[in-house]
Amino acid sequence: MPAHILVIDDEPDIRSGLRDILEDEGHRVSEAQDAAAARALLADAAFDAVLLDIWMPGTDGIALLREWVTAGELPQPVIMMSGHGTVETAVEATRLGAYDFIEKPIALAKLLITLERALEAQHLRQANRQLQRQVGSLFEPVGESPAFQTVLAQLRRLAERDAALLLRGEAGTGKESLARWVHGNSNRRNGPFITVAAGAVPDEQAAIALFGSEGAEGVSAGLLEQANSGTLYLDEIAELGAELQLRLSSALERRQVLRVGGRSPVPLDVRVIAASSQDLEAERSAGRLRDELYFQLNVLPIKVPALRERGEDIGPLAQHFDRIFAARDGVPPRQWPDAVLERLRQHDWPGNVRELRGLTQRLSLLGSGEVRLDEIEPALQGQAVRNDAATQENVVPLDLSQPLREARDGFERAYLLRQLANAGGSVGKLAQLSGMERTHLYRKLRDLGINKE
């Protein structure tokens, strides 16, 4: 994607060389020889990314980065450059919010890969913010029950701390949503939020997926490295193999990542939030969870209540999800009469918030007007949702005036949303229903803006 890049370096040859490389890739480039020139350019123009040298006369790169952070949110990703870099300098830069750190002499492949990922991350961040402004957030905590408010108060106090959090609770209670909320209220909010779903990482690819790789084909950053300056969410960590647990524990302890095939460690600056629905003490006793990793993650344990323990929140949650799905999918919101809300409160909700969200999404897609008891009863009894007013529920409406690509995306999105609802939110079951390979499916869900939760 063509972008406007600002290069800040006191050496004319380096600025010129970077300009030639970046313009050959289709980017527009502006140059600044020092902090004063950079301030002037940033005051007059918007940039998509900044390449910032650390060692400059006067105000150096770290000081300039700190100045931007103190003034507020970084409007674009910043990639630091240095020919005299140390691990401490790189850690300080990423702690302040730099996207990455590259050493001089700058390798062409490393530069272009890092810049491409920084621009992609910025594009996704802007798209997510725009979507949240339009429809609200699925991750916004909703509920006034004492049980939920107690948890929220604890998380609010801990949001600005960097200590590891461990969210414990039944499957589907919204642990990832709470982790995202903590991230959004922390001083790392401008950094990435990266999820490691241990059970979804294939064993043969787990090391590369987590730690990245280096080789003749280039450098690939793993999930840990992608989380630099942000939050790493570890879901069901006991499902990782013992060797990977040990390697992960070492990376977190040393705050460094060694890529598969790599020789030099990469600085790691992340806040870790782990989650589990399992009995972790039993997993330790059975040898499936290493002590080192358990004690690293169990610094601040938080118990997330089951939905049946916060019954007064069921109605507000259902209406919250309905408003979001209606706005996102372009359909009118449903009305929720008292009789329906009372029936929802009587349900045991074995799938917790995830089950309620799935039911709400199906009702949003398949019906209109006032929600009826005969719509929700089959779902609460474990049957498929039926809607007499939508007898052609397998027919997806399409706007044939759209360009082919937009119409196809609309169909794929509606199809995958329907199948995801039928799969109860399970991506594994969705892969079976759709006949798609899981890796390709995850990519497709991401491209279509579908959150698997």
Side-chain angles (χ1 to χ4, degrees):
M1 61 182 83
H4 190 186
I5 313 298
L6 174 60
V7 177
I8 308 172
D9 197 299
D10 62 310
E11 298 184 46
D13 290 346
I14 290 180
R15 296 200 306 271
S16 175
L18 289 173
R19 173 187 283 276
D20 292 343
I21 292 170
L22 296 174
E23 287 183 342
D24 284 346
E25 295 295 317
H27 299 302
R28 187 155 60 99
V29 179
S30 295
E31 300 177 28
Q33 73 274 15
D34 55 26
R39 294 187 191 102
L41 287 171
L42 286 166
D44 292 336
F47 294 90
D48 298 297
V50 173
L51 298 178
L52 175 60
D53 185 33
I54 288 182
W55 302 108
M56 298 187 298
T59 304
D60 63 28
I62 293 292
L64 186 58
L65 179 63
R66 186 179 291 110
E67 176 184 311
W68 293 337
V69 172
T70 302
E73 177 182 343
L74 287 174
Q76 65 280 307
V78 177
I79 299 169
M80 307 300 291
M81 307 179 294
S82 176
H84 311 282
T86 64
V87 170
E88 291 78 12
T89 303
V91 168
E92 174 67 6
T94 52
R95 188 189 67 79
L96 288 170
Y99 178 81
D100 206 345
F101 177 94
I102 54 179
E103 293 182 298
K104 297 178 181 178
I106 295 172
L108 176 60
K110 169 71 172 176
L111 169 67
L112 296 180
I113 289 173
T114 303
L115 182 59
E116 179 184 358
R117 287 181 177 147
L119 293 172
E120 287 178 354
Q122 180 74 350
H123 176 73
L124 288 173
R125 190 176 295 116
Q126 292 171 344
N128 286 338
R129 287 173 183 163
Q130 182 178 2
L131 181 62
Q132 288 185 13
R133 284 194 296 267
Q134 291 173 347
V135 304
S137 173
L138 282 169
F139 309 122
E140 179 184 344
V142 173
E144 296 297 327
S145 65
F148 186 67
Q149 283 297 311
T150 297
V151 169
L152 209 57
Q154 292 174 322
L155 294 177
R156 189 177 287 111
R157 286 196 302 271
L158 299 172
E160 292 295 335
R161 306 293 183 263
D162 258 0
L165 280 177
L166 177 58
L167 303 179
R168 304 184 68 162
E170 296 178 12
T173 48
K175 296 185 289 294
E176 182 174 350
S177 295
L178 288 173
R180 289 180 180 274
W181 181 81
V182 169
H183 170 75
N185 286 274
S186 73
N187 55 14
R188 294 176 177 270
R189 65 181 65 90
N190 299 322
F193 180 95
I194 301 296
T195 296
V196 176
V201 181
D203 290 341
E204 65 277 8
Q205 300 175 3
I208 292 177
L210 290 175
F211 303 104
S213 63
E214 292 183 21
E217 297 180 357
V219 174
S220 175
L223 293 170
L224 272 70
E225 191 176 344
Q226 292 173 34
N228 253 331
S229 77
T231 300
L232 182 71
Y233 177 70
L234 301 173
D235 189 26
E236 300 297 359
I237 196 63
E239 295 185 12
L240 277 181
E243 183 179 345
L244 284 173
Q245 288 184 32
L246 180 60
R247 185 167 179 174
L248 175 59
S249 174
S250 176
L252 296 178
E253 179 69 27
R254 299 180 182 183
R255 303 181 72 83
Q256 294 179 342
V257 172
L258 184 62
R259 303 185 186 111
V260 175
R263 296 183 178 180
S264 300
V266 178
L268 182 64
D269 175 35
V270 299
R271 199 267 178 89
V272 177
I273 302 179
S276 181
S277 60
Q278 303 177 34
D279 184 340
L280 295 183
E281 288 70 30
E283 295 297 307
R284 284 180 58 215
S285 299
R288 290 187 290 269
L289 178 61
R290 298 189 67 99
D291 286 350
E292 306 97 310
L293 188 57
Y294 171 78
F295 289 117
Q296 277 177 307
L297 302 179
N298 196 38
V299 176
L300 296 169
I302 302 290
K303 174 69 166 61
V304 181
L307 187 55
R308 62 183 174 275
E309 298 170 352
R310 42 183 295 219
E312 56 263 63
D313 296 337
I314 292 173
L317 274 167
Q319 293 168 312
H320 170 72
F321 291 141
D322 178 56
R323 287 191 297 269
I324 290 176
F325 292 133
R328 191 175 71 181
D329 297 325
V331 297
R334 307 289 305 266
Q335 288 82 52
W336 297 78
D338 291 342
V340 167
L341 296 178
E342 179 58 31
R343 178 65 186 93
L344 294 180
R345 284 190 287 269
Q346 293 171 2
H347 185 56
D348 194 48
W349 298 107
N352 290 294
V353 176
R354 183 183 298 149
E355 180 185 354
L356 176 61
R357 186 169 54 214
L359 170 63
T360 306
Q361 186 173 16
R362 277 176 278 176
L363 292 170
S364 176
L365 284 169
L366 302 179
S368 60
E370 192 171 272
V371 178
R372 305 187 313 276
L373 284 170
D374 63 346
E375 285 184 89
I376 65 172
E377 199 61 47
L380 299 182
Q381 296 174 4
Q383 304 171 23
V385 173
R386 295 188 299 271
N387 190 300
D388 296 336
T391 56
Q392 296 182 348
E393 67 176 52
N394 290 322
V395 177
V396 177
L398 291 177
D399 181 359
L400 298 181
S401 66
Q402 293 179 313
L404 175 60
R405 180 172 180 176
E406 293 181 13
R408 183 186 64 213
D409 287 348
F411 168 78
E412 289 181 345
R413 192 172 194 281
Y415 169 81
L416 290 172
L417 280 170
R418 179 78 57 80
Q419 295 288 40
L420 187 60
N422 292 337
S426 167
V427 176
K429 291 181 181 178
L430 176 60
Q432 296 174 357
L433 289 173
S434 63
M436 297 175 68
E437 193 271 331
R438 185 174 295 194
T439 302
H440 177 63
L441 178 58
Y442 272 107
R443 186 179 303 114
K444 177 63 71 175
L445 292 175
R446 181 192 64 201
D447 292 345
L448 293 175
I450 300 174
N451 188 297
K452 66 183 179 63
E453 295 295 335

